Amino acid sequence: MIRKSFIVLAATAALAAPAFAGMKKDIVDTAAGAGSFETLLAAATAAGLVDTLKGEGPFTVFAPTDEAFAALPEGTVEDLLKPENKEQLASILTYHVVPGKVMSGDLTDDMTAATVQGGEITIDLDNGVMVNDASVVTADIAASNGVIHVIDKVILPAEG
């Protein structure tokens, strides 16, 4: 009986796999599956941005790793996650998002791009791919509603 159930389960899984093969995860689920964006996802939750990043898009997200957040001055992340700093946190996070789907092949040296936050980021290709002063360590991670480029530093919008 157990063997028959296992065979039926295996056959069902094998038949269902092609149906799901074309489906991609959205930006949030893709980041969650990677395992190195726990801080970014916690921040997106605290800032109320998860539903937006799960939305239709498309979005290009320059995603700092957990290590990038850990490199911020001690206490910075904890401070930003406080409810009273939600607006500042949202501003920082939306500075990492560009409307549209921008793949690495679309980038040109010294180009600028308007962010969802309203500021601009600058792309530099002279020494690898840089977004402001952060290096892109992994590019073109496709999601159903855009693309993720992994960066090694949290980039901050100009104050003012």
Side-chain angles (χ1 to χ4, degrees):
M1 180 67 177
I2 293 174
R3 182 173 179 216
K4 184 177 178 183
S5 296
F6 178 75
I7 292 171
V8 169
L9 181 62
T12 303
L15 293 172
F20 290 104
M23 289 180 56
K24 292 183 192 167
K25 297 176 181 176
D26 62 44
I27 287 172
V28 173
D29 293 338
T30 300
S36 55
F37 302 106
E38 289 180 24
T39 307
L40 177 61
L41 293 170
T45 299
L49 297 173
V50 170
D51 287 343
T52 301
L53 292 173
K54 289 178 93 41
E56 188 174 323
F59 305 106
T60 298
V61 177
F62 294 96
T65 61
D66 290 335
E67 292 78 21
F69 279 101
L72 292 171
E74 189 174 331
T76 301
V77 173
E78 294 78 10
D79 234 23
L80 287 169
L81 291 175
K82 292 178 180 174
E84 62 267 24
N85 295 325
K86 182 178 180 176
E87 191 173 307
Q88 181 185 10
L89 179 60
S91 176
I92 291 169
L93 294 179
T94 56
Y95 187 67
H96 289 78
V97 181
V98 173
K101 186 175 182 179
V102 183
M103 303 300 283
S104 60
D106 300 327
L107 303 175
T108 57
D109 194 31
D110 299 325
M111 74 181 284
T112 59
T115 68
V116 172
Q117 179 264 354
E120 287 196 342
I121 55 171
T122 301
I123 305 299
D124 180 23
L125 303 178
D126 294 333
N127 297 303
V129 180
M130 302 281 294
V131 178
N132 291 358
D133 60 346
S135 295
V136 175
V137 293
T138 305
D140 298 337
I141 301 171
S144 62
N145 61 345
V147 63
I148 299 170
H149 303 293
V150 182
I151 57 176
D152 66 351
K153 193 172 186 181
V154 177
I155 55 176
L156 301 173
E159 291 185 30

